[in-house]
Amino acid sequence: MTTRREHAEQLDAADQLAPLREQFQLPPNVVYLDGNSLGALVNQVPDRLADVVTRQWGDHLIRAWNEDAWWQAPIRIGDRIGKLLGAGPGQVVVGESTSIQFFQALTAAARLRSGRRLVLSDLNHFPTNRYLAASVARLLGLEILEVSADDLQAALREHGSDVCAISFGAVDFRTGALLDIPQITEAAHSQGALVVWDVCHAVGAVPLECDADQVDLAVGCTYKYLNGGPGSPAFLYAAARHHAALDLPLTGWHGHADPFGMTHAFEPAEGIAKARVGTLPMLSLLALDAALDVFDGVDLTAVQTKSQDLGDFFLECLADLLNTTPELGVVSPRRATRRGSQVTLSHPEASPVMAALIARGVIGDVRPPGLLRFGWNSLYIRYQDLLHAVEALETVLSEGEHRRPEHQVPRLVT
Amino acid sequence: MTTRREHAEQLDAADQLAPLREQFQLPPNVVYLDGNSLGALVNQVPDRLADVVTRQWGDHLIRAWNEDAWWQAPIRIGDRIGKLLGAGPGQVVVGESTSIQFFQALTAAARLRSGRRLVLSDLNHFPTNRYLAASVARLLGLEILEVSADDLQAALREHGSDVCAISFGAVDFRTGALLDIPQITEAAHSQGALVVWDVCHAVGAVPLECDADQVDLAVGCTYKYLNGGPGSPAFLYAAARHHAALDLPLTGWHGHADPFGMTHAFEPAEGIAKARVGTLPMLSLLALDAALDVFDGVDLTAVQTKSQDLGDFFLECLADLLNTTPELGVVSPRRATRRGSQVTLSHPEASPVMAALIARGVIGDVRPPGLLRFGWNSLYIRYQDLLHAVEALETVLSEGEHRRPEHQVPRLVT
C-alpha cells in the first residue's frame, strides 16, 4: 500500500508545473500557505527593483517618466494583467488600492444605470467592499441589499428593474468558494443590471474570461496570487463597450485627456485611461511588473487544475484527522470545481491553532469566526507541502500545542 | 570685483546645509532643478529597500505585517511627516495618492459644515484638485467658486455663511508663490468655514505650522521635497479637534475600528486611523521611510532661508539676460519671502528651451502657458548649480540651441 508520503512524492514528480517553483525565493523550512494573502518573492524582483531605484530614479530622475516609460506603465501593466483576466488590451488599468478601485467601479456602474436605486451586494463580500458600497450608496442615494449567490436569482426576480448593479466576490475570501461568473453575470444582465466583480482571490489562480463572460467591471489586487509584493497596486477592468459612458468619481489628473495641458475642467481621457487617478507608487508598480514575468507562457487552466488536485489531496490527507476531531470542520466546498485555490477549516481555537502551526513553519492565517485558511499558489506549492501541513496540524492538535501560553497572544494582523 | 563664479563659491563655502548634499546620490554632470517634481535618491534607500524586499517580504512573508510592523507604518511614517508639518502626533496618515487624499479631505470638510453649499477653491489650484473638487461638488450637491488668494477676503465677505470650505495650494505649482497660511486659515475660520491646504509644493521646503496655524485639513505628496521616490504615497493631516466628527467617503477596511474583526458595518477607527483606506504599497512606503531620515535634525527654517537666498542669487545672475531678452520674464514673486523653493520664468518657446537645457544637463520642467520651472531642494542644490543653470540658459538663448530640430519634439511628460 502506498503511504501518504509516497503518494505526495508521486504527485509532485508528475506535476508539469513543478519547475515554476524555482522562480520563487522561498525561505527554508517554511510551508507557505498564505499566498492567497501575500504572494512570495519572485527571483528577478530584487534586481529589477534595484535597477528602477538606482538607474531609473537615481540617474534619470524626472526624465524617467519619458525615458523609462513610467507614464505608460499603468496601462501597459494593466494589459499584462488583462491577459490573466481574459481581457483584450485597453480595458485594464493599474491604480490605487482595491478599495479605491471598488469605489470607482461601483459608482460608475450605478451611474451607467441611473434611475435604478438598488445594489445587490454579496452577503459574503470582503469587508472593504461592503463598507465602500455603503459609502457609494450614501453619496448616490442608493440602497444596498445584501444577498448570497444562492439567493441572487430570487432577489433579481423580485427587484429586477430597480437593480442598477450587483457586486460579488469571484472567490469567497473566507470559504474559498468559487462563484459561477458567467451565470451570475448573465442573471444580472437579464434584468438590465451591471455587475462588478471582485476578483482579488481569483486572479492568477483561476482562468478568468471577463470579455467572453460579458463582465462589466472588475477590480482586484495584485499582491496575492500575482505575487506583486506587499500592497502592490490594484487594478480596474472596464469592458470597452462601457468606456464612452463611464463616469468615474475619482477624476484625478492622470485620467485627463491632456494631463500636462493642465486645463481648467476635467475632460476624461479616451478608453480605460480615464480610470487613472493620481501618480502611482512606481517602485511597487515596477516590482509587480517584474513579478508578472512568472506568468508568461503559463496556462491558467493547468494552474487551476493543479490547485483543485492539491485541494483534493489536502482533504484526503485530512480525512483521518477530521474523523477523529469533531471540533475540526471543512468550510470550503468539497467539490474541487467549486473551490478557488484555498481550503478553509473551522476550529473553535483557530487563532492559537494557527499560531502553533506558524511556530512549526506552516504559514496560513485565520479569519473570523474561527476559520483556518490554507491557500496555495500552485506555481510554487507542492503536494508534499500540503502533506507537511496536515502532519503539522495533526501534531499540534494531538500534542495540544495550541494550548501553550505563547500561542494565546493575539497578533495585530491575523 | 567679484565674479559670479567667485560669489557662488563663497556662498557655497558659507552654507551650513552644504554637507547634506552628501546624503544624496546625484548623477554626474547634472544640475537637478526639478526636485520640486521628483526628489533625488537618498543614499540609504537602495539598501533599506533591498532589505524590505528580500528579508521582510521574501523571508518573513505574511508575518512581516506583525514582525516588521508593516501594519503600523502609515501612522508611524505619518507622524514623521507630521514633524515637518508642525503637527503633533496622531494627526497625519500616509495613504493613496494626493488626488485620493484631496477627495477625502474636501468631502470631510464639506460634511463638517453640512448645510453650507459653497466651496471657495484656488483659481490657481493644481489641476487634480480642481477636477476632484468638481466631483465632490457633484456628489454632495455643492457649488464651487474659484477665486485667487487676492480675492478671497472679498469672496468670504460676500458668501461667508454659505461657505463650507476653502481650499488653496500653499505654494503655487506654476509660479512658486507662497501663500499666507495663517492669514487665509483665519479668514476662513472667521466665516465659520474650514480650510483644506494642498502642501505638495511646500512640505520639506517651507516650515509649516499646521497645529499652531489652526489648519483643519491638509494633503500633500512625498515625492517632491521629501524625496520619497516616484509616486511615493501621499498624506492627509486632520487636526485632532475634528477627528471625532470626521466623516470620510473612502471607508476602506484599514480605517475600521477592528479591521480583522471583519464586521458587517463600517465603524471608523479612533483618531487619524479612520482615514486609512486600503493596503498601501509597502515597498514605496518604506522607501519613503528611509528617505525621511535625511530630515532628522534638519531645521526647516534654515532650509527655507537657503531656498530664498538661492532664489535671490538665481535672479541676480539672471539680471543681465533678462535685460537683454525681452521675451524672457520672471513669473515668480521677486520678494524672497513670497516664494516657495522655485523660480519660474516665462518664454514663448518654453518647451524647446527646456529641452535644450536638459540636453546640457540642466533639468527643470515646463508648465503651460510657456513657463520654465526651476525648483530646488536646498538639501542638495548649491549656488554654483544655479549659476551653472543661468550660464546654460544664456548659451541656449544666445546660440539659438532651442531652435534646433531635436528640441522641437514634444515629450509626453513635461
Side-chain angles (χ1 to χ4, degrees), chain A residues 25 27 30 32 34 37-41 45-46 49 53-54 57-59 61-63 65-66 70-72 96-97 99-100 103 111 123 126-128 130-132 135 138-140 146 173-174 223 227-231 247 249-253 256 260-266 277-284 287 358 363 367-368 411-414, chain B residues 25 27 30 32 34 37-41 45-46 49 53-54 57-59 61-63 65-66 70-72 96-97 99-100 103 111 123 126-128 130-132 135 138-140 146 173-174 223 227-231 247 249-253 256 260-266 277-284 287 358 363 367-368 411-414:
Chain A
Q25 289 184 27
V30 160
Y32 191 56
D34 214 4
S37 187
L38 172 64
L41 176 60
V45 168
L49 187 58
V53 171
T54 57
W57 170 19
D59 288 347
L61 290 161
I62 194 73
R63 296 170 294 190
W65 283 100
N66 292 301
W70 285 356
W71 184 265
Q72 295 88 343
E96 289 88 345
S97 65
S99 296
I100 299 299
F103 181 83
R111 284 177 170 171
L123 186 66
F126 186 75
T128 212
R130 289 205 303 267
Y131 307 156
L132 284 158
S135 179
R138 177 179 167 197
L139 286 165
L140 299 185
E146 295 198 330
F173 78 103
R174 281 196 192 85
Y223 49 78
N227 314 300
D247 184 3
L250 297 171
T251 49
W253 70 296
H256 195 283
F260 287 88
M262 304 204 159
T263 60
H264 204 75
F266 185 73
V277 185
T279 306
L280 292 186
M282 296 305 301
L283 307 187
S284 285
I358 291 172
I363 303 180
R367 288 292 176 264
R411 287 167 303 152
L412 186 63
V413 179
T414 55
Chain B
Q25 291 185 25
V30 161
Y32 191 55
D34 214 4
S37 188
L38 172 65
L41 176 60
V45 169
L49 187 57
V53 170
T54 57
W57 170 19
D59 289 345
L61 290 160
I62 195 72
R63 296 169 294 190
W65 283 101
N66 292 301
W70 284 357
W71 184 265
Q72 296 88 344
E96 289 87 346
S97 64
S99 296
I100 299 298
F103 181 83
R111 284 177 170 171
L123 186 66
F126 186 75
T128 213
R130 289 205 303 268
Y131 307 156
L132 284 159
S135 179
R138 177 180 168 197
L139 285 166
L140 298 186
E146 295 199 329
F173 77 104
R174 282 196 191 84
Y223 50 78
N227 314 299
D247 183 5
L250 298 171
T251 48
W253 71 296
H256 195 282
F260 288 88
M262 305 206 157
T263 59
H264 205 75
F266 185 73
V277 185
T279 306
L280 291 187
M282 296 304 301
L283 306 187
S284 286
I358 291 173
I363 303 179
R367 288 291 177 264
R411 288 168 302 151
L412 186 63
V413 179
T414 56

Side-chain angles (χ1 to χ4, degrees), chain A residues 180-199:
Chain A
D180 188 330
I181 295 177
Q183 185 193 60
I184 289 175
T185 302
E186 194 184 338
H189 290 177
S190 73
Q191 300 292 338
L194 299 183
V195 62
V196 178
W197 283 102
D198 171 354
V199 299

Side-chain angles (χ1 to χ4, degrees), chain A residues 83-349:
Chain A
K83 290 182 185 168
L84 307 175
L85 298 174
Q91 299 178 105
V92 180
V93 67
V94 182
E96 289 88 345
S97 65
T98 315
S99 296
I100 299 299
Q101 304 310 317
F102 186 81
F103 181 83
Q104 287 271 68
L106 187 61
T107 303
R111 284 177 170 171
L112 284 166
R113 291 293 179 270
S114 62
R116 295 171 169 233
R117 286 272 162 255
L118 187 63
V119 174
L120 299 182
S121 178
D122 192 342
L123 186 66
N124 301 308
H125 237 336
F126 186 75
T128 212
N129 299 333
R130 289 205 303 267
Y131 307 156
L132 284 158
S135 179
V136 170
R138 177 179 167 197
L139 286 165
L140 299 185
L142 307 175
E143 280 178 56
I144 307 276
L145 180 64
E146 295 198 330
V147 295
S148 70
D150 290 340
D151 298 332
L152 177 65
Q153 298 277 8
L156 278 167
R157 273 194 301 275
E158 185 179 345
H159 301 287
S161 60
D162 288 339
V163 180
C164 58
I166 74 165
S167 172
F168 277 81
V171 171
D172 185 308
F173 78 103
R174 281 196 192 85
T175 67
L178 172 66
L179 297 191
D180 188 330
I181 295 177
Q183 185 193 60
I184 289 175
T185 302
E186 194 184 338
H189 290 177
S190 73
Q191 300 292 338
L194 299 183
V195 62
V196 178
W197 283 102
D198 171 354
V199 299
C200 282
H201 292 78
V203 61
V206 172
L208 297 166
E209 293 293 345
C210 285
D211 285 355
D213 292 343
Q214 296 280 303
V215 166
D216 301 295
L217 295 142
V219 302
C221 83
T222 63
Y223 49 78
K224 299 180 187 294
Y225 295 106
L226 299 188
N227 314 300
S232 55
F235 61 83
L236 171 72
Y237 162 90
R241 66 185 175 280
H242 294 308
H243 287 183
L246 203 68
D247 184 3
L248 296 155
L250 297 171
T251 49
W253 70 296
H254 280 233
H256 195 283
D258 180 16
F260 287 88
M262 304 204 159
T263 60
H264 204 75
F266 185 73
E267 185 196 331
E270 291 205 10
I272 195 66
K274 71 163 63 170
R276 298 177 69 158
V277 185
T279 306
L280 292 186
M282 296 305 301
L283 307 187
S284 285
L285 179 61
L286 295 173
L288 162 66
D289 191 32
L292 286 173
D293 289 0
V294 168
F295 282 94
D296 288 345
V298 168
D299 173 10
L300 282 176
T301 303
V303 173
Q304 180 181 38
T305 301
K306 180 178 171 188
S307 288
Q308 294 170 346
D309 292 348
L310 282 167
D312 286 346
F313 177 74
F314 187 60
L315 289 168
E316 263 170 60
C317 292
L318 278 168
D320 285 349
L321 186 64
L322 287 162
N323 278 334
T324 56
T325 317
E327 62 270 32
L328 189 68
V330 177
V331 171
S332 298
R334 289 278 186 170
R335 249 175 65 198
T337 55
R338 301 284 308 276
R339 289 194 305 264
S341 194
Q342 157 190 341
V343 163
T344 305
L345 307 179
S346 59
H347 191 283
E349 293 161 283

Side-chain angles (χ1 to χ4, degrees), chain B residues 93-138:
Chain B
V93 67
V94 182
E96 289 87 346
S97 64
T98 315
S99 296
I100 299 298
Q101 303 311 317
F102 185 81
F103 181 83
Q104 287 271 69
L106 188 60
T107 303
R111 284 177 170 171
L112 284 166
R113 290 293 179 270
S114 61
R116 294 170 168 233
R117 286 272 160 256
L118 187 62
V119 173
L120 299 182
S121 179
D122 192 343
L123 186 66
N124 300 309
H125 238 335
F126 186 75
T128 213
N129 298 334
R130 289 205 303 268
Y131 307 156
L132 284 159
S135 179
V136 170
R138 177 180 168 197

